[in-house]
mmCIF file of all heavy atoms in Angstrom:
data_model
loop_
_atom_site.group_PDB
_atom_site.id
_atom_site.type_symbol
_atom_site.label_atom_id
_atom_site.label_comp_id
_atom_site.label_asym_id
_atom_site.label_seq_id
_atom_site.Cartn_x
_atom_site.Cartn_y
_atom_site.Cartn_z
ATOM 1 N N VAL A 1 0.808 -1.224 0.000
ATOM 2 C CA VAL A 1 0.000 0.000 0.000
ATOM 3 C C VAL A 1 0.840 1.273 0.000
ATOM 4 O O VAL A 1 0.290 2.373 -0.066
ATOM 5 C CB VAL A 1 -0.988 0.034 1.188
ATOM 6 C CG1 VAL A 1 -1.835 -1.233 1.213
ATOM 7 C CG2 VAL A 1 -0.271 0.243 2.509
ATOM 8 N N LYS A 2 2.143 1.133 0.090
ATOM 9 C CA LYS A 2 3.013 2.309 0.127
ATOM 10 C C LYS A 2 2.816 3.159 -1.129
ATOM 11 O O LYS A 2 2.770 2.621 -2.242
ATOM 12 C CB LYS A 2 4.478 1.893 0.236
ATOM 13 C CG LYS A 2 4.899 1.498 1.630
ATOM 14 C CD LYS A 2 6.372 1.087 1.692
ATOM 15 C CE LYS A 2 6.751 0.646 3.089
ATOM 16 N NZ LYS A 2 8.154 0.132 3.140
ATOM 17 N N GLY A 3 2.699 4.460 -0.928
ATOM 18 C CA GLY A 3 2.481 5.365 -2.047
ATOM 19 C C GLY A 3 1.029 5.525 -2.439
ATOM 20 O O GLY A 3 0.701 6.417 -3.231
ATOM 21 N N ARG A 4 0.151 4.661 -1.916
ATOM 22 C CA ARG A 4 -1.277 4.750 -2.243
ATOM 23 C C ARG A 4 -2.125 5.094 -1.023
ATOM 24 O O ARG A 4 -3.129 5.790 -1.142
ATOM 25 C CB ARG A 4 -1.771 3.429 -2.837
ATOM 26 C CG ARG A 4 -1.061 3.005 -4.100
ATOM 27 C CD ARG A 4 -1.733 1.797 -4.740
ATOM 28 N NE ARG A 4 -1.699 0.613 -3.895
ATOM 29 C CZ ARG A 4 -2.795 -0.047 -3.507
ATOM 30 N NH1 ARG A 4 -3.986 0.339 -3.901
ATOM 31 N NH2 ARG A 4 -2.684 -1.121 -2.753
ATOM 32 N N PHE A 5 -1.751 4.597 0.132
ATOM 33 C CA PHE A 5 -2.515 4.812 1.358
ATOM 34 C C PHE A 5 -1.743 5.745 2.286
ATOM 35 O O PHE A 5 -0.508 5.707 2.344
ATOM 36 C CB PHE A 5 -2.748 3.489 2.093
ATOM 37 C CG PHE A 5 -3.680 2.526 1.405
ATOM 38 C CD1 PHE A 5 -4.113 2.709 0.094
ATOM 39 C CD2 PHE A 5 -4.119 1.389 2.082
ATOM 40 C CE1 PHE A 5 -4.959 1.806 -0.523
ATOM 41 C CE2 PHE A 5 -4.963 0.474 1.482
ATOM 42 C CZ PHE A 5 -5.376 0.680 0.172
ATOM 43 N N THR A 6 -2.491 6.534 3.045
ATOM 44 C CA THR A 6 -1.879 7.422 4.033
ATOM 45 C C THR A 6 -2.659 7.320 5.340
ATOM 46 O O THR A 6 -3.883 7.485 5.358
ATOM 47 C CB THR A 6 -1.891 8.883 3.562
ATOM 48 O OG1 THR A 6 -1.214 8.987 2.306
ATOM 49 C CG2 THR A 6 -1.193 9.779 4.579
ATOM 50 N N ILE A 7 -1.945 7.056 6.413
ATOM 51 C CA ILE A 7 -2.566 6.995 7.738
ATOM 52 C C ILE A 7 -2.271 8.298 8.464
ATOM 53 O O ILE A 7 -1.175 8.875 8.323
ATOM 54 C CB ILE A 7 -2.068 5.779 8.542
ATOM 55 C CG1 ILE A 7 -2.918 5.577 9.800
ATOM 56 C CG2 ILE A 7 -0.582 5.882 8.870
ATOM 57 C CD1 ILE A 7 -2.671 4.238 10.503
ATOM 58 N N SER A 8 -3.245 8.778 9.228
ATOM 59 C CA SER A 8 -3.061 10.035 9.958
ATOM 60 C C SER A 8 -3.884 10.004 11.238
ATOM 61 O O SER A 8 -4.833 9.220 11.368
ATOM 62 C CB SER A 8 -3.483 11.225 9.087
ATOM 63 O OG SER A 8 -4.856 11.142 8.753
ATOM 64 N N ARG A 9 -3.510 10.859 12.161
ATOM 65 C CA ARG A 9 -4.259 10.990 13.421
ATOM 66 C C ARG A 9 -4.659 12.451 13.585
ATOM 67 O O ARG A 9 -3.804 13.341 13.574
ATOM 68 C CB ARG A 9 -3.406 10.542 14.615
ATOM 69 C CG ARG A 9 -3.212 9.055 14.696
ATOM 70 C CD ARG A 9 -2.372 8.614 15.873
ATOM 71 N NE ARG A 9 -3.171 8.449 17.084
ATOM 72 C CZ ARG A 9 -2.827 7.653 18.086
ATOM 73 N NH1 ARG A 9 -1.717 6.954 18.016
ATOM 74 N NH2 ARG A 9 -3.578 7.576 19.176
ATOM 75 N N ASP A 10 -5.957 12.688 13.756
ATOM 76 C CA ASP A 10 -6.444 14.041 14.040
ATOM 77 C C ASP A 10 -6.057 14.456 15.445
ATOM 78 O O ASP A 10 -5.709 15.587 15.699
ATOM 79 C CB ASP A 10 -7.973 14.076 13.957
ATOM 80 C CG ASP A 10 -8.446 14.247 12.536
ATOM 81 O OD1 ASP A 10 -7.602 14.477 11.661
ATOM 82 O OD2 ASP A 10 -9.669 14.146 12.317
ATOM 83 N N ASN A 11 -6.174 13.514 16.346
ATOM 84 C CA ASN A 11 -5.915 13.760 17.755
ATOM 85 C C ASN A 11 -5.598 12.408 18.390
ATOM 86 O O ASN A 11 -5.407 11.420 17.682
ATOM 87 C CB ASN A 11 -7.138 14.416 18.417
ATOM 88 C CG ASN A 11 -8.420 13.673 18.125
ATOM 89 O OD1 ASN A 11 -8.508 12.470 18.363
ATOM 90 N ND2 ASN A 11 -9.409 14.368 17.592
ATOM 91 N N ALA A 12 -5.602 12.355 19.690
ATOM 92 C CA ALA A 12 -5.219 11.101 20.344
ATOM 93 C C ALA A 12 -6.210 9.978 20.079
ATOM 94 O O ALA A 12 -5.870 8.812 20.204
ATOM 95 C CB ALA A 12 -5.082 11.324 21.846
ATOM 96 N N ARG A 13 -7.451 10.321 19.700
ATOM 97 C CA ARG A 13 -8.488 9.304 19.644
ATOM 98 C C ARG A 13 -9.018 9.004 18.247
ATOM 99 O O ARG A 13 -9.844 8.111 18.086
ATOM 100 C CB ARG A 13 -9.664 9.718 20.547
ATOM 101 C CG ARG A 13 -9.287 9.757 22.015
ATOM 102 C CD ARG A 13 -10.489 10.039 22.902
ATOM 103 N NE ARG A 13 -10.103 9.996 24.311
ATOM 104 C CZ ARG A 13 -10.083 8.883 25.041
ATOM 105 N NH1 ARG A 13 -10.460 7.734 24.496
ATOM 106 N NH2 ARG A 13 -9.698 8.912 26.304
ATOM 107 N N THR A 14 -8.585 9.719 17.245
ATOM 108 C CA THR A 14 -9.130 9.543 15.897
ATOM 109 C C THR A 14 -8.014 9.271 14.906
ATOM 110 O O THR A 14 -7.055 10.043 14.810
ATOM 111 C CB THR A 14 -9.901 10.800 15.456
ATOM 112 O OG1 THR A 14 -10.905 11.099 16.429
ATOM 113 C CG2 THR A 14 -10.571 10.563 14.114
ATOM 114 N N VAL A 15 -8.182 8.188 14.156
ATOM 115 C CA VAL A 15 -7.201 7.835 13.133
ATOM 116 C C VAL A 15 -7.941 7.632 11.808
ATOM 117 O O VAL A 15 -9.069 7.138 11.770
ATOM 118 C CB VAL A 15 -6.398 6.581 13.532
ATOM 119 C CG1 VAL A 15 -7.293 5.362 13.652
ATOM 120 C CG2 VAL A 15 -5.266 6.324 12.562
ATOM 121 N N HIS A 16 -7.295 8.060 10.728
ATOM 122 C CA HIS A 16 -7.872 7.932 9.390
ATOM 123 C C HIS A 16 -6.944 7.130 8.497
ATOM 124 O O HIS A 16 -5.729 7.110 8.699
ATOM 125 C CB HIS A 16 -8.062 9.324 8.758
ATOM 126 C CG HIS A 16 -8.886 10.264 9.572
ATOM 127 N ND1 HIS A 16 -10.254 10.137 9.692
ATOM 128 C CD2 HIS A 16 -8.528 11.352 10.306
ATOM 129 C CE1 HIS A 16 -10.703 11.118 10.467
ATOM 130 N NE2 HIS A 16 -9.685 11.854 10.851
ATOM 131 N N LEU A 17 -7.545 6.505 7.495
ATOM 132 C CA LEU A 17 -6.765 5.843 6.457
ATOM 133 C C LEU A 17 -7.295 6.340 5.112
ATOM 134 O O LEU A 17 -8.412 5.992 4.718
ATOM 135 C CB LEU A 17 -6.886 4.325 6.549
ATOM 136 C CG LEU A 17 -6.021 3.549 5.558
ATOM 137 C CD1 LEU A 17 -4.530 3.709 5.895
ATOM 138 C CD2 LEU A 17 -6.399 2.069 5.525
ATOM 139 N N GLN A 18 -6.510 7.169 4.448
ATOM 140 C CA GLN A 18 -6.867 7.646 3.120
ATOM 141 C C GLN A 18 -6.342 6.639 2.108
ATOM 142 O O GLN A 18 -5.136 6.389 2.053
ATOM 143 C CB GLN A 18 -6.275 9.032 2.851
ATOM 144 C CG GLN A 18 -6.565 9.575 1.471
ATOM 145 C CD GLN A 18 -8.035 9.868 1.242
ATOM 146 O OE1 GLN A 18 -8.702 10.409 2.112
ATOM 147 N NE2 GLN A 18 -8.538 9.507 0.066
ATOM 148 N N MET A 19 -7.253 6.062 1.331
ATOM 149 C CA MET A 19 -6.881 5.019 0.373
ATOM 150 C C MET A 19 -7.131 5.530 -1.035
ATOM 151 O O MET A 19 -8.285 5.798 -1.407
ATOM 152 C CB MET A 19 -7.698 3.752 0.633
ATOM 153 C CG MET A 19 -7.578 3.239 2.063
ATOM 154 S SD MET A 19 -8.393 1.657 2.325
ATOM 155 C CE MET A 19 -10.107 2.121 2.109
ATOM 156 N N ASN A 20 -6.070 5.699 -1.792
ATOM 157 C CA ASN A 20 -6.153 6.175 -3.178
ATOM 158 C C ASN A 20 -5.698 5.077 -4.132
ATOM 159 O O ASN A 20 -5.043 4.122 -3.708
ATOM 160 C CB ASN A 20 -5.289 7.422 -3.372
ATOM 161 C CG ASN A 20 -5.733 8.586 -2.510
ATOM 162 O OD1 ASN A 20 -6.916 8.756 -2.218
ATOM 163 N ND2 ASN A 20 -4.775 9.406 -2.095
ATOM 164 N N SER A 21 -6.025 5.245 -5.398
ATOM 165 C CA SER A 21 -5.624 4.276 -6.433
ATOM 166 C C SER A 21 -5.964 2.852 -6.003
ATOM 167 O O SER A 21 -5.136 1.940 -6.091
ATOM 168 C CB SER A 21 -4.125 4.396 -6.725
ATOM 169 O OG SER A 21 -3.781 5.699 -7.130
ATOM 170 N N LEU A 22 -7.175 2.669 -5.544
ATOM 171 C CA LEU A 22 -7.581 1.363 -5.030
ATOM 172 C C LEU A 22 -7.588 0.306 -6.120
ATOM 173 O O LEU A 22 -7.915 0.586 -7.293
ATOM 174 C CB LEU A 22 -8.951 1.465 -4.372
ATOM 175 C CG LEU A 22 -8.928 2.067 -2.956
ATOM 176 C CD1 LEU A 22 -10.289 2.583 -2.555
ATOM 177 C CD2 LEU A 22 -8.423 1.027 -1.976
ATOM 178 N N LYS A 23 -7.235 -0.911 -5.718
ATOM 179 C CA LYS A 23 -7.172 -2.055 -6.622
ATOM 180 C C LYS A 23 -8.146 -3.134 -6.133
ATOM 181 O O LYS A 23 -8.443 -3.194 -4.928
ATOM 182 C CB LYS A 23 -5.760 -2.637 -6.640
ATOM 183 C CG LYS A 23 -4.668 -1.641 -6.999
ATOM 184 C CD LYS A 23 -3.299 -2.281 -6.868
ATOM 185 C CE LYS A 23 -2.181 -1.295 -7.193
ATOM 186 N NZ LYS A 23 -0.841 -1.908 -7.047
ATOM 187 N N PRO A 24 -8.593 -4.012 -7.029
ATOM 188 C CA PRO A 24 -9.476 -5.096 -6.581
ATOM 189 C C PRO A 24 -8.863 -5.933 -5.453
ATOM 190 O O PRO A 24 -9.598 -6.406 -4.575
ATOM 191 C CB PRO A 24 -9.670 -5.924 -7.853
ATOM 192 C CG PRO A 24 -9.535 -4.926 -8.948
ATOM 193 C CD PRO A 24 -8.467 -3.977 -8.489
ATOM 194 N N GLU A 25 -7.556 -6.079 -5.448
ATOM 195 C CA GLU A 25 -6.925 -6.873 -4.389
ATOM 196 C C GLU A 25 -6.914 -6.171 -3.030
ATOM 197 O O GLU A 25 -6.497 -6.769 -2.026
ATOM 198 C CB GLU A 25 -5.491 -7.260 -4.784
ATOM 199 C CG GLU A 25 -4.623 -6.118 -5.242
ATOM 200 C CD GLU A 25 -4.580 -5.990 -6.759
ATOM 201 O OE1 GLU A 25 -5.648 -6.111 -7.419
ATOM 202 O OE2 GLU A 25 -3.471 -5.754 -7.282
ATOM 203 N N ASP A 26 -7.364 -4.926 -2.976
ATOM 204 C CA ASP A 26 -7.530 -4.249 -1.691
ATOM 205 C C ASP A 26 -8.859 -4.615 -1.028
ATOM 206 O O ASP A 26 -9.109 -4.222 0.115
ATOM 207 C CB ASP A 26 -7.480 -2.725 -1.877
ATOM 208 C CG ASP A 26 -6.123 -2.234 -2.331
ATOM 209 O OD1 ASP A 26 -5.105 -2.728 -1.809
ATOM 210 O OD2 ASP A 26 -6.074 -1.352 -3.225
ATOM 211 N N THR A 27 -9.696 -5.345 -1.734
ATOM 212 C CA THR A 27 -10.979 -5.758 -1.186
ATOM 213 C C THR A 27 -10.775 -6.630 0.041
ATOM 214 O O THR A 27 -10.047 -7.623 0.001
ATOM 215 C CB THR A 27 -11.794 -6.529 -2.243
ATOM 216 O OG1 THR A 27 -12.110 -5.640 -3.321
ATOM 217 C CG2 THR A 27 -13.080 -7.082 -1.641
ATOM 218 N N ALA A 28 -11.408 -6.246 1.155
ATOM 219 C CA ALA A 28 -11.255 -6.975 2.420
ATOM 220 C C ALA A 28 -12.119 -6.302 3.474
ATOM 221 O O ALA A 28 -12.693 -5.230 3.231
ATOM 222 C CB ALA A 28 -9.804 -6.977 2.877
ATOM 223 N N VAL A 29 -12.187 -6.931 4.632
ATOM 224 C CA VAL A 29 -12.738 -6.261 5.805
ATOM 225 C C VAL A 29 -11.567 -5.573 6.508
ATOM 226 O O VAL A 29 -10.537 -6.199 6.778
ATOM 227 C CB VAL A 29 -13.425 -7.250 6.768
ATOM 228 C CG1 VAL A 29 -13.937 -6.514 8.009
ATOM 229 C CG2 VAL A 29 -14.572 -7.962 6.060
ATOM 230 N N TYR A 30 -11.734 -4.294 6.761
ATOM 231 C CA TYR A 30 -10.680 -3.499 7.392
ATOM 232 C C TYR A 30 -11.025 -3.280 8.864
ATOM 233 O O TYR A 30 -12.143 -2.876 9.204
ATOM 234 C CB TYR A 30 -10.541 -2.162 6.676
ATOM 235 C CG TYR A 30 -9.803 -2.282 5.363
ATOM 236 C CD1 TYR A 30 -10.389 -2.935 4.281
ATOM 237 C CD2 TYR A 30 -8.522 -1.770 5.202
ATOM 238 C CE1 TYR A 30 -9.722 -3.078 3.082
ATOM 239 C CE2 TYR A 30 -7.836 -1.892 4.001
ATOM 240 C CZ TYR A 30 -8.443 -2.552 2.942
ATOM 241 O OH TYR A 30 -7.775 -2.690 1.754
ATOM 242 N N TYR A 31 -10.044 -3.545 9.729
ATOM 243 C CA TYR A 31 -10.223 -3.437 11.167
ATOM 244 C C TYR A 31 -9.285 -2.376 11.739
ATOM 245 O O TYR A 31 -8.103 -2.321 11.389
ATOM 246 C CB TYR A 31 -9.910 -4.766 11.856
ATOM 247 C CG TYR A 31 -10.843 -5.882 11.506
ATOM 248 C CD1 TYR A 31 -10.587 -6.723 10.422
ATOM 249 C CD2 TYR A 31 -11.988 -6.132 12.266
ATOM 250 C CE1 TYR A 31 -11.436 -7.766 10.095
ATOM 251 C CE2 TYR A 31 -12.840 -7.177 11.954
ATOM 252 C CZ TYR A 31 -12.563 -7.977 10.869
ATOM 253 O OH TYR A 31 -13.415 -9.015 10.552
ATOM 254 N N CYS A 32 -9.811 -1.600 12.644
ATOM 255 C CA CYS A 32 -9.001 -0.651 13.397
ATOM 256 C C CYS A 32 -8.489 -1.351 14.653
ATOM 257 O O CYS A 32 -9.206 -2.146 15.272
ATOM 258 C CB CYS A 32 -9.868 0.552 13.776
ATOM 259 S SG CYS A 32 -9.004 1.836 14.724
ATOM 260 N N LYS A 33 -7.257 -1.045 15.013
ATOM 261 C CA LYS A 33 -6.659 -1.655 16.205
ATOM 262 C C LYS A 33 -5.997 -0.598 17.058
ATOM 263 O O LYS A 33 -5.363 0.324 16.552
ATOM 264 C CB LYS A 33 -5.608 -2.699 15.803
ATOM 265 C CG LYS A 33 -4.905 -3.359 16.980
ATOM 266 C CD LYS A 33 -3.787 -4.273 16.523
ATOM 267 C CE LYS A 33 -3.026 -4.825 17.717
ATOM 268 N NZ LYS A 33 -1.869 -5.665 17.294
ATOM 269 N N TYR A 34 -6.163 -0.747 18.371
ATOM 270 C CA TYR A 34 -5.456 0.060 19.356
ATOM 271 C C TYR A 34 -4.521 -0.859 20.135
ATOM 272 O O TYR A 34 -4.915 -1.936 20.564
ATOM 273 C CB TYR A 34 -6.447 0.715 20.319
ATOM 274 C CG TYR A 34 -5.799 1.233 21.587
ATOM 275 C CD1 TYR A 34 -5.244 2.501 21.631
ATOM 276 C CD2 TYR A 34 -5.749 0.442 22.734
ATOM 277 C CE1 TYR A 34 -4.640 2.970 22.797
ATOM 278 C CE2 TYR A 34 -5.155 0.899 23.894
ATOM 279 C CZ TYR A 34 -4.602 2.163 23.918
ATOM 280 O OH TYR A 34 -3.997 2.634 25.068
ATOM 281 N N ALA A 35 -3.291 -0.409 20.315
ATOM 282 C CA ALA A 35 -2.326 -1.150 21.123
ATOM 283 C C ALA A 35 -1.675 -0.181 22.106
ATOM 284 O O ALA A 35 -1.085 0.827 21.711
ATOM 285 C CB ALA A 35 -1.269 -1.793 20.244
ATOM 286 N N GLY A 36 -1.804 -0.517 23.395
ATOM 287 C CA GLY A 36 -1.200 0.312 24.424
ATOM 288 C C GLY A 36 -0.841 -0.547 25.628
ATOM 289 O O GLY A 36 -1.719 -1.214 26.176
ATOM 290 N N GLY A 37 0.412 -0.553 26.031
ATOM 291 C CA GLY A 37 0.838 -1.420 27.118
ATOM 292 C C GLY A 37 0.613 -2.869 26.735
ATOM 293 O O GLY A 37 1.066 -3.315 25.679
ATOM 294 N N LEU A 38 -0.121 -3.600 27.557
ATOM 295 C CA LEU A 38 -0.433 -5.001 27.267
ATOM 296 C C LEU A 38 -1.779 -5.158 26.567
ATOM 297 O O LEU A 38 -2.195 -6.267 26.275
ATOM 298 C CB LEU A 38 -0.442 -5.810 28.569
ATOM 299 C CG LEU A 38 0.885 -5.849 29.332
ATOM 300 C CD1 LEU A 38 0.735 -6.645 30.632
ATOM 301 C CD2 LEU A 38 1.989 -6.459 28.467
ATOM 302 N N SER A 39 -2.432 -4.059 26.268
ATOM 303 C CA SER A 39 -3.786 -4.111 25.698
ATOM 304 C C SER A 39 -3.755 -4.059 24.174
ATOM 305 O O SER A 39 -2.993 -3.299 23.582
ATOM 306 C CB SER A 39 -4.621 -2.934 26.205
ATOM 307 O OG SER A 39 -4.803 -3.004 27.592
ATOM 308 N N ASN A 40 -4.618 -4.881 23.577
ATOM 309 C CA ASN A 40 -4.873 -4.826 22.142
ATOM 310 C C ASN A 40 -6.385 -4.875 21.965
ATOM 311 O O ASN A 40 -7.034 -5.816 22.424
ATOM 312 C CB ASN A 40 -4.250 -6.011 21.410
ATOM 313 C CG ASN A 40 -2.747 -5.908 21.336
ATOM 314 O OD1 ASN A 40 -2.194 -5.098 20.609
ATOM 315 N ND2 ASN A 40 -2.069 -6.724 22.108
ATOM 316 N N ASN A 41 -6.934 -3.856 21.331
ATOM 317 C CA ASN A 41 -8.380 -3.801 21.134
ATOM 318 C C ASN A 41 -8.677 -3.611 19.655
ATOM 319 O O ASN A 41 -7.944 -2.910 18.945
ATOM 320 C CB ASN A 41 -8.990 -2.656 21.947
ATOM 321 C CG ASN A 41 -8.731 -2.798 23.418
ATOM 322 O OD1 ASN A 41 -7.864 -2.123 23.969
ATOM 323 N ND2 ASN A 41 -9.467 -3.681 24.068
ATOM 324 N N TRP A 42 -9.780 -4.235 19.217
ATOM 325 C CA TRP A 42 -10.156 -4.206 17.805
ATOM 326 C C TRP A 42 -11.543 -3.604 17.621
ATOM 327 O O TRP A 42 -12.419 -3.770 18.469
ATOM 328 C CB TRP A 42 -10.179 -5.622 17.240
ATOM 329 C CG TRP A 42 -8.856 -6.287 17.213
ATOM 330 C CD1 TRP A 42 -8.303 -7.052 18.190
ATOM 331 C CD2 TRP A 42 -7.900 -6.254 16.144
ATOM 332 N NE1 TRP A 42 -7.057 -7.492 17.797
ATOM 333 C CE2 TRP A 42 -6.783 -7.024 16.542
ATOM 334 C CE3 TRP A 42 -7.863 -5.648 14.879
ATOM 335 C CZ2 TRP A 42 -5.656 -7.197 15.733
ATOM 336 C CZ3 TRP A 42 -6.749 -5.828 14.070
ATOM 337 C CH2 TRP A 42 -5.667 -6.589 14.494
ATOM 338 N N GLY A 43 -11.719 -2.946 16.487
ATOM 339 C CA GLY A 43 -13.041 -2.503 16.087
ATOM 340 C C GLY A 43 -13.807 -3.656 15.462
ATOM 341 O O GLY A 43 -13.295 -4.772 15.329
ATOM 342 N N GLN A 44 -15.035 -3.371 15.043
ATOM 343 C CA GLN A 44 -15.910 -4.412 14.506
ATOM 344 C C GLN A 44 -15.644 -4.703 13.038
ATOM 345 O O GLN A 44 -16.099 -5.710 12.513
ATOM 346 C CB GLN A 44 -17.388 -4.014 14.690
ATOM 347 C CG GLN A 44 -17.928 -3.023 13.672
ATOM 348 C CD GLN A 44 -17.473 -1.579 13.898
ATOM 349 O OE1 GLN A 44 -16.747 -1.286 14.852
ATOM 350 N NE2 GLN A 44 -17.921 -0.676 13.048
ATOM 351 N N GLY A 45 -14.909 -3.849 12.376
ATOM 352 C CA GLY A 45 -14.559 -4.037 10.978
ATOM 353 C C GLY A 45 -15.497 -3.309 10.032
ATOM 354 O O GLY A 45 -16.680 -3.112 10.334
#
């Protein structure tokens, strides 16, 4: 995804993924993940 996708954070709690030049092989369920200390939490996708 290098050169096509850009990840950014507005603030401590919001993260974005800008996806450009999308390809059919990018088709998937995308999950957000938080990792802090020993914790790993996932979104619903």
Side-chain angles (χ1 to χ4, degrees):
V1 306
K2 281 180 182 175
R4 301 188 297 123
F5 291 11
T6 303
I7 191 168
S8 62
R9 287 180 86 155
D10 277 353
N11 50 54
R13 295 185 177 273
T14 305
V15 63
H16 304 287
L17 184 68
Q18 178 66 42
M19 305 186 293
N20 298 328
S21 302
L22 281 160
K23 304 175 181 179
E25 51 263 43
D26 294 318
T27 295
V29 178
Y30 283 69
Y31 295 90
C32 180
K33 178 186 175 183
Y34 163 86
L38 298 178
S39 296
N40 288 288
N41 301 103
W42 295 90
Q44 79 284 359

